[in-house]
Short mmCIF file of all heavy atoms in Angstrom, two decimals:
data_model
loop_
_atom_site.label_atom_id
_atom_site.label_comp_id
_atom_site.label_asym_id
_atom_site.label_seq_id
_atom_site.Cartn_x
_atom_site.Cartn_y
_atom_site.Cartn_z
N GLN O 40 99.92 110.89 107.77
CA GLN O 40 100.09 110.50 106.37
C GLN O 40 100.17 108.98 106.21
O GLN O 40 100.13 108.47 105.09
CB GLN O 40 101.37 111.11 105.79
CG GLN O 40 101.61 112.57 106.08
CD GLN O 40 100.45 113.46 105.71
OE1 GLN O 40 99.95 113.38 104.60
NE2 GLN O 40 100.02 114.30 106.64
N ARG O 54 107.89 96.57 126.29
CA ARG O 54 107.89 97.79 125.49
C ARG O 54 109.19 97.86 124.68
O ARG O 54 110.28 97.95 125.24
CB ARG O 54 107.77 99.01 126.40
CG ARG O 54 106.45 99.05 127.18
CD ARG O 54 106.52 100.07 128.29
NE ARG O 54 107.63 99.78 129.22
CZ ARG O 54 108.11 100.66 130.10
NH1 ARG O 54 107.62 101.88 130.17
NH2 ARG O 54 109.10 100.31 130.91
N ASP O 102 116.99 120.20 121.58
CA ASP O 102 117.68 120.94 122.63
C ASP O 102 117.97 120.01 123.81
O ASP O 102 118.75 119.09 123.69
CB ASP O 102 116.84 122.15 123.04
CG ASP O 102 117.64 123.14 123.87
OD1 ASP O 102 118.89 123.06 123.85
OD2 ASP O 102 117.03 123.99 124.54
N PHE O 118 111.61 102.75 127.56
CA PHE O 118 111.33 101.45 126.96
C PHE O 118 112.16 100.36 127.63
O PHE O 118 113.22 100.62 128.21
CB PHE O 118 111.62 101.48 125.46
CG PHE O 118 110.57 102.18 124.65
CD1 PHE O 118 110.61 103.56 124.46
CD2 PHE O 118 109.51 101.48 124.10
CE1 PHE O 118 109.64 104.22 123.73
CE2 PHE O 118 108.52 102.11 123.36
CZ PHE O 118 108.58 103.50 123.18
N SER O 148 129.11 98.97 128.17
CA SER O 148 129.81 98.88 129.46
C SER O 148 129.48 100.04 130.40
O SER O 148 129.73 99.95 131.60
CB SER O 148 131.33 98.84 129.22
OG SER O 148 131.76 100.02 128.54
N ILE O 174 128.64 98.64 121.35
CA ILE O 174 127.44 99.45 121.66
C ILE O 174 126.32 98.57 122.18
O ILE O 174 125.55 98.98 123.06
CB ILE O 174 126.97 100.21 120.40
CG1 ILE O 174 128.02 101.25 119.99
CG2 ILE O 174 125.61 100.87 120.63
CD1 ILE O 174 127.68 101.97 118.68
N TYR O 202 116.17 89.44 139.92
CA TYR O 202 116.11 90.74 140.56
C TYR O 202 116.48 91.79 139.51
O TYR O 202 117.23 91.52 138.56
CB TYR O 202 117.08 90.82 141.73
CG TYR O 202 116.72 89.90 142.87
CD1 TYR O 202 117.47 88.76 143.13
CD2 TYR O 202 115.64 90.19 143.70
CE1 TYR O 202 117.14 87.90 144.18
CE2 TYR O 202 115.29 89.35 144.75
CZ TYR O 202 116.04 88.21 144.98
OH TYR O 202 115.70 87.37 146.01
N PRO O 223 128.36 90.53 122.54
CA PRO O 223 129.73 90.99 122.30
C PRO O 223 130.62 91.00 123.55
O PRO O 223 131.82 90.72 123.45
CB PRO O 223 129.53 92.40 121.74
CG PRO O 223 128.20 92.35 121.07
CD PRO O 223 127.36 91.47 121.97
N ILE O 229 141.69 90.02 120.00
CA ILE O 229 143.12 89.98 120.27
C ILE O 229 143.84 90.66 119.11
O ILE O 229 143.59 90.34 117.95
CB ILE O 229 143.62 88.53 120.42
CG1 ILE O 229 142.89 87.83 121.56
CG2 ILE O 229 145.13 88.49 120.66
CD1 ILE O 229 143.13 86.34 121.61
N LEU O 278 104.99 97.34 99.37
CA LEU O 278 106.12 96.52 98.95
C LEU O 278 105.88 95.05 99.24
O LEU O 278 105.39 94.68 100.31
CB LEU O 278 107.39 96.99 99.65
CG LEU O 278 107.79 98.45 99.44
CD1 LEU O 278 109.04 98.79 100.24
CD2 LEU O 278 107.99 98.78 97.97
N ILE O 326 107.58 95.32 93.71
CA ILE O 326 108.10 93.96 93.84
C ILE O 326 109.58 94.04 94.21
O ILE O 326 110.38 94.64 93.49
CB ILE O 326 107.93 93.18 92.53
CG1 ILE O 326 106.44 93.07 92.18
CG2 ILE O 326 108.55 91.81 92.62
CD1 ILE O 326 106.17 92.43 90.85
N LEU O 348 102.48 97.56 88.97
CA LEU O 348 103.64 96.93 89.60
C LEU O 348 104.90 97.71 89.29
O LEU O 348 105.13 98.13 88.15
CB LEU O 348 103.79 95.49 89.10
CG LEU O 348 102.64 94.53 89.47
CD1 LEU O 348 102.88 93.18 88.82
CD2 LEU O 348 102.50 94.38 90.97
N ILE O 396 123.61 92.91 76.54
CA ILE O 396 123.22 94.27 76.94
C ILE O 396 122.66 95.05 75.75
O ILE O 396 121.60 95.68 75.84
CB ILE O 396 124.43 95.01 77.55
CG1 ILE O 396 124.90 94.30 78.82
CG2 ILE O 396 124.08 96.47 77.86
CD1 ILE O 396 126.27 94.72 79.30
N ASP O 426 139.48 99.69 81.07
CA ASP O 426 138.12 99.31 81.47
C ASP O 426 137.24 100.54 81.64
O ASP O 426 136.02 100.48 81.43
CB ASP O 426 138.15 98.51 82.78
CG ASP O 426 138.80 97.15 82.60
OD1 ASP O 426 138.42 96.45 81.65
OD2 ASP O 426 139.68 96.79 83.40
N ARG O 464 141.47 94.78 98.24
CA ARG O 464 141.63 96.16 98.69
C ARG O 464 140.68 97.10 97.95
O ARG O 464 140.12 96.73 96.91
CB ARG O 464 143.05 96.63 98.44
CG ARG O 464 143.48 96.45 96.98
CD ARG O 464 144.81 97.11 96.69
NE ARG O 464 144.68 98.57 96.73
CZ ARG O 464 145.72 99.40 96.72
NH1 ARG O 464 146.94 98.95 96.70
NH2 ARG O 464 145.54 100.70 96.74
N GLU O 473 140.33 110.42 89.83
CA GLU O 473 140.77 110.66 88.46
C GLU O 473 139.89 109.90 87.46
O GLU O 473 139.57 110.41 86.39
CB GLU O 473 142.23 110.26 88.29
CG GLU O 473 143.22 111.24 88.91
CD GLU O 473 143.08 112.64 88.33
OE1 GLU O 473 143.03 112.76 87.08
OE2 GLU O 473 143.01 113.61 89.11
N LEU O 494 125.46 111.64 83.46
CA LEU O 494 126.27 110.79 84.33
C LEU O 494 126.19 111.32 85.76
O LEU O 494 126.40 112.50 86.00
CB LEU O 494 127.72 110.79 83.86
CG LEU O 494 128.67 109.93 84.69
CD1 LEU O 494 128.55 108.47 84.27
CD2 LEU O 494 130.12 110.40 84.53
N ASP O 546 145.14 83.25 105.17
CA ASP O 546 145.52 82.93 106.55
C ASP O 546 145.25 84.07 107.53
O ASP O 546 145.34 83.88 108.74
CB ASP O 546 147.00 82.55 106.62
CG ASP O 546 147.28 81.25 105.87
OD1 ASP O 546 146.40 80.37 105.87
OD2 ASP O 546 148.38 81.13 105.30
#
Side-chain angles (χ1 to χ4, degrees):
Q40 314 307 310
R54 297 166 301 164
D102 194 17
F118 283 87
S148 60
I174 293 175
Y202 294 108
I229 301 170
L278 303 178
I326 298 175
L348 296 176
I396 297 165
D426 292 311
R464 55 171 290 169
E473 285 301 312
L494 180 81
D546 294 327

